[in-house]
Amino acid sequence: AAALPDLPAISSLVADGTVFSRYFVSTPLCSPSRASLLRGQYAHNTGVLWNRGEEEGSGGFEAFHRLGLEESTLATWLRDAGFRTGLIGKYLNNYPMGAEPGFVPPGWDTWAVHASDSREAFYYDYELNQNGEIVAYDSAEEDYSTDVIAALAEAFIWESAEAGAPFFLLATPYAPHDPAEYAPRHADRFNDGDPARAPSWNEEDVSDKPEWVRNLPVIDAETAARVDEGYRNRLRSMLAVDDLVATLLSALEDTAQRANTVFIFTSDNGFHFGEHRVKFGKVTPYDESTRVPLVMSGPGITSGASVDVLAVNADLAPTIASWTGVAAPDFVDGRSLAGIASGTTPDAWRNWVLLQQFEQIDERERATPEPKRKPVKHKPLRGTPGAESEVAATPNAPERMIQADLPPFAALRGQDELYVEYESGEREYYDLSSDPFALENSFDSLTPDHSAALAAALAELATCSGDLCRTADLTAG
């Protein structure tokens, strides 16, 4: 929020559209979250439970592909309905593991997706699968991936206008993900002042917290400085994302398509920078990890509105389908947000969203097989910022920190409540109306009836599917 004035394009979407202030990602991790977006399902129904792919595993692209989930996604639904479809940027972790190097999933007309071996190669020195051809990008300024994605997405919008076809575009820059390399033009930004810190930052008394939090050391001054610089780098990398949004909005205006196009801005997970002593990472049940922005702007959407209904990433697929007149499949777990975005108050709405985190995998010890492919060098994109420059990118990423080690959990996030059950048997409960930063675990003060009702509601939602999810999330707790 503090950086929003420095993001004019995203700020314009907020001013012109509707903000969902209680929007959550059910499993706060890249691949499970993206699978939920594409399918409209909770992770326990997609089977994509983690990021890192391994043979016959439950992570990343390998699981999504092996389980056949690509046969029915937003892309296939909309392409079958006559839409041009495009995905430009990041897809699922470890793509294309388990498939041919040039593999393009069903449903996509335009495909320009990161297909690099290294987890670090997403800003410079990376490869994109561009419609089945592996294209290599270098370390020159014009190769900065957020700018390349912006140019490719802009071209897709113009091509769609020239074809006279409705379109669905999913533009997914890697920024501001770690290692959060920023464009050289933004190197001097956010250098003044200290980052704003919530009351949960470096939480002093964690005696009421589960063991995994109690085991976290107090953040010392040296570590705090690294965490703060990582946060600044993320803000700097977001400036190019804002440029990307501005590029797409201008393309829509220039092609006379802005008035009939819905623009959605969101993220696939939140992130800790010292809150609850978590120096780095996600995969926790706390709002820092699970609560993310969601802004919708476009025809029929209320301008300048903020709504506080509970929304979850499984809602995006049925929402987009409803705008296009496409019937979402029966397997969808989420609800359409289209009516709420247009100012309609629903007769009944969910009381809970489900939060889940699954098995532990130490990603540092997972090896990715070398793909068999021959990359080709790209031709510079016209209009890409810095196209005349050949300066190499200066490394600007902080030291990589390791995610917190916590047991799997299932949780209920209500309007102002958080209830967590860990596989370890530990429990947490926060009344967020009086404790918005989840500082005091008050589970032990609940009445037996209250705790039993919460457990029953969670058990029902954690095993739901399809229509049953839209019944289970109404359950009182």
Side-chain angles (χ1 to χ4, degrees):
L4 201 57
D6 294 286
L7 303 173
I10 296 170
S11 295
S12 74
L13 290 176
V14 172
D16 293 340
T18 292
V19 174
F20 286 78
S21 63
R22 282 178 170 80
Y23 174 71
F24 297 87
V25 290
S26 178
T27 299
L29 196 61
C30 312
S31 286
S33 184
R34 290 164 187 261
S36 291
L37 184 157
L38 290 168
R39 293 269 298 182
Q41 291 178 293
Y42 284 121
H44 67 264
N45 288 324
T46 66
V48 179
L49 309 181
W50 202 259
N51 270 350
R52 199 73 171 169
E54 59 179 348
E55 187 176 352
E56 300 298 315
S58 57
F61 168 78
E62 195 279 339
F64 198 78
H65 178 65
R66 175 172 44 80
L67 295 171
L69 303 183
E70 291 164 318
E71 299 300 322
S72 182
T73 65
L74 259 176
T76 63
W77 310 344
L78 298 186
R79 191 167 187 258
D80 288 347
F83 282 72
R84 291 189 79 243
T85 58
L87 198 161
I88 300 173
K90 184 180 178 182
Y91 181 39
L92 295 167
N93 295 55
N94 288 119
Y95 166 80
M97 181 182 181
E100 292 299 315
F103 173 74
V104 177
W108 299 102
D109 294 301
T110 293
W111 183 256
V113 167
H114 281 285
S116 301
D117 302 335
S118 170
R119 287 189 63 197
E120 309 299 329
F122 287 98
Y123 293 100
Y124 295 99
D125 297 309
Y126 57 91
E127 296 170 359
L128 298 182
N129 177 338
Q130 294 184 211
N131 297 320
E133 180 181 44
I134 304 301
V135 179
Y137 290 79
D138 294 320
S139 57
E141 190 169 344
E142 69 266 24
D143 294 309
Y144 183 65
S145 64
T146 306
D147 294 340
V148 170
I149 290 166
L152 292 171
E154 180 184 27
F156 175 84
I157 291 173
W158 277 96
E159 290 163 3
S160 298
E162 292 167 1
F167 69 88
F168 168 64
L169 170 64
L170 193 56
T172 56
Y174 199 72
H177 194 288
D178 180 68
E181 293 185 66
Y182 46 81
R185 64 185 180 275
H186 298 136
D188 295 330
R189 300 294 298 276
F190 301 110
N191 288 330
D192 299 328
D194 294 324
R197 289 174 175 169
S200 57
W201 192 88
N202 204 12
E203 189 172 351
E204 183 176 357
D205 181 5
V206 295
S207 59
D208 60 317
K209 291 292 191 291
E211 183 179 14
W212 74 267
V213 179
R214 298 197 306 271
N215 287 339
L216 296 174
V218 172
I219 297 173
D220 59 26
E222 181 182 353
T223 302
R226 296 204 312 272
V227 170
D228 289 348
E229 186 58 18
Y231 179 70
R232 291 189 185 94
N233 284 343
R234 295 226 172 194
L235 293 182
R236 294 172 185 131
S237 74
M238 277 299 300
L239 295 172
V241 176
D242 193 70
D243 291 343
L244 180 154
V245 172
T247 295
L248 301 190
L249 288 172
S250 294
L252 291 172
E253 292 286 355
D254 293 344
T255 57
Q257 295 181 104
R258 180 68 179 104
N260 61 3
T261 302
V262 173
F263 202 114
I264 300 174
F265 178 84
T266 190
S267 180
D268 55 7
N269 55 256
F271 210 78
H272 284 260
F273 279 103
E275 297 83 8
H276 305 292
R277 300 191 186 179
V278 179
K279 299 187 296 290
F280 166 95
K282 38 204 173 184
V283 303
T284 81
Y286 304 125
D287 276 15
E288 290 86 0
S289 181
T290 62
R291 191 172 184 172
V292 301
L294 175 62
V295 184
M296 298 180 179
S297 174
I301 294 175
T302 306
S303 178
S306 179
V307 295
D308 64 1
V309 298
L310 289 169
V312 69
N313 52 344
D315 294 336
L316 291 185
T319 300
I320 294 168
S322 68
W323 278 323
T324 61
V326 172
D330 291 340
F331 62 69
V332 165
D333 301 329
R335 299 169 177 268
S336 173
L337 303 172
I340 295 172
S342 66
T344 301
T345 302
D347 294 333
W349 195 252
R350 61 165 63 95
N351 292 317
W352 308 107
V353 295
L354 173 67
L355 309 178
Q356 300 170 295
Q357 187 258 328
F358 298 90
E359 76 250 44
Q360 292 291 293
I361 297 178
D362 187 339
E363 296 187 356
R364 292 167 294 169
E365 297 179 359
R366 298 297 187 192
T368 304
E370 291 288 333
K372 297 177 181 179
R373 58 192 182 204
K374 293 182 179 180
V376 298
K377 292 294 182 182
H378 74 289
K379 296 180 180 179
L381 296 159
R382 288 188 215 170
T384 302
E388 299 301 317
S389 172
E390 289 295 333
V391 298
T394 300
N396 51 51
E399 174 187 348
R400 178 182 290 278
M401 301 180 191
I402 304 304
Q403 303 238 34
D405 183 15
L406 68 162
F409 66 78
L412 294 174
R413 182 48 161 93
Q415 191 76 9
D416 287 302
E417 295 177 88
L418 175 63
Y419 170 68
V420 189
E421 293 184 359
Y422 291 95
E423 192 175 85
S424 62
E426 295 171 293
R427 302 289 184 264
E428 290 182 280
Y429 176 82
Y430 300 94
D431 180 350
L432 300 174
S433 61
S434 59
D435 181 19
F437 296 99
L439 299 176
E440 301 291 336
N441 178 11
S442 57
F443 176 76
D444 289 342
S445 68
L446 296 178
T447 66
D449 286 347
H450 191 180
S451 60
L454 288 168
L458 178 55
E460 186 177 6
L461 193 54
T463 56
C464 73
S465 63
D467 287 342
L468 293 178
C469 293
R470 295 183 289 279
T471 300
D473 63 18
L474 296 169
T475 305

